[in-house]
Amino acid sequence: MNNESLNILGLDLGTSSIGWCLIEPTKIIDAGVRIFPEGMDRTRGEKSLNQDRRIARSIRRQGYRRARRKETLKYLLINFSLLPSDEIELEKLFHSTNPYMLRSLALNKKLEPYQLGRAIYHLGQRRGYLSNRKTGDEKDGKVTQSITEIEQAMEKGGFKTLGEYLNNLDPHEQRIRGRYTSRKMYENEFEYI
């Protein structure tokens, strides 16, 4: 094969362009450049253009997983006769009982099956914080500080579980929901119940 008849294609790959040139051994046949949009939005800092889509997709997945977990738990509790299978009766149970009170009562007294199912379902709805980060960040510090404060208040008040502590709060003076809690608190309470 004769090397003088070979054409050579030269490429210059950049972050937002590709330059090319096709040459014969004695002359340039053609050359050009293709410029495409950069994958970063420089007006908002070093932010990827797909970052908003990725965050929205993550939120959708998280919501879907939460709904799937709740439905799975509900059907398991129905199958074990711990929740009523009738939707109207189930809604009535959910709206007429205070799950924090049931969680507190379950520590010292045997509950009726539907009451126990309601308490377990409530535990399943609130999973608590479990960090999956290798290193702590600012949010981890705020969360762990809040968890420590709740643990100290539980110890000071002599409460065995988170449900017992939250049941004893006055909802008119302090918010019950919207607190940072740890996954371990829910696991311990489940074991107690």
Side-chain angles (χ1 to χ4, degrees):
M1 180 174 221
N2 187 357
N3 285 341
E4 293 179 10
S5 65
L6 289 177
N7 292 341
I8 298 173
L9 176 64
L11 296 174
D12 176 24
L13 303 175
T15 58
S16 60
S17 64
I18 298 177
W20 58 276
C21 183
L22 183 61
I23 59 173
E24 287 182 345
T26 57
K27 67 176 185 170
I28 296 176
I29 297 175
D30 202 2
V33 66
R34 293 282 187 236
I35 299 173
F36 45 88
E38 191 175 15
M40 303 292 276
D41 184 0
R42 302 283 182 200
T43 61
R44 299 186 295 173
E46 295 290 320
K47 187 174 178 183
S48 168
L49 292 174
N50 290 331
Q51 186 174 357
D52 292 336
R53 287 180 43 225
R54 187 171 45 249
I55 290 169
R57 183 174 59 241
S58 174
I59 291 170
R60 283 193 308 270
R61 284 179 179 167
Q62 185 179 17
Y64 170 74
R65 289 176 185 145
R66 179 179 292 126
R68 189 177 66 205
R69 273 194 311 269
K70 286 170 61 175
E71 282 298 309
T72 302
L73 177 59
K74 182 172 86 172
Y75 287 117
L76 281 172
L77 292 171
I78 288 171
N79 286 339
F80 286 105
S81 300
L82 293 174
L83 285 179
S85 57
D86 181 46
E87 284 294 323
I88 295 170
E89 200 175 329
L90 183 66
E91 286 298 316
K92 184 179 173 188
L93 174 70
F94 279 11
H95 292 294
S96 66
T97 56
N98 178 351
Y100 297 105
M101 183 189 67
L102 294 175
R103 286 167 53 183
S104 182
L105 284 174
L107 301 176
N108 303 315
K109 158 183 171 181
K110 184 177 179 182
L111 297 178
E112 296 296 320
Y114 287 172
Q115 292 175 330
L116 179 62
R118 177 63 178 118
I120 292 173
Y121 184 78
H122 194 254
L123 283 174
Q125 286 180 300
R126 282 130 184 91
R127 294 165 38 108
Y129 176 74
L130 179 66
S131 177
N132 62 356
R133 299 176 195 272
K134 302 268 189 257
T135 59
D137 64 3
E138 186 178 314
K139 184 178 182 226
D140 281 348
K142 178 182 173 187
V143 171
T144 54
Q145 178 184 355
S146 178
I147 290 170
T148 304
E149 288 171 5
I150 290 175
E151 288 172 340
Q152 290 170 350
M154 287 172 58
E155 189 176 319
K156 183 179 175 184
F159 300 112
K160 291 185 254 180
T161 65
L162 178 65
E164 186 179 27
Y165 168 70
L166 294 174
N167 185 52
N168 284 297
L169 294 178
D170 183 2
H172 300 292
E173 293 179 15
Q174 295 176 311
R175 290 188 63 196
I176 293 176
R177 294 186 63 184
R179 297 170 180 266
Y180 290 112
T181 55
S182 72
R183 176 85 46 95
K184 193 73 179 152
M185 290 175 172
Y186 291 95
E187 290 170 352
N188 290 341
E189 184 170 349
F190 182 78
E191 292 300 322
Y192 263 109
I193 292 176

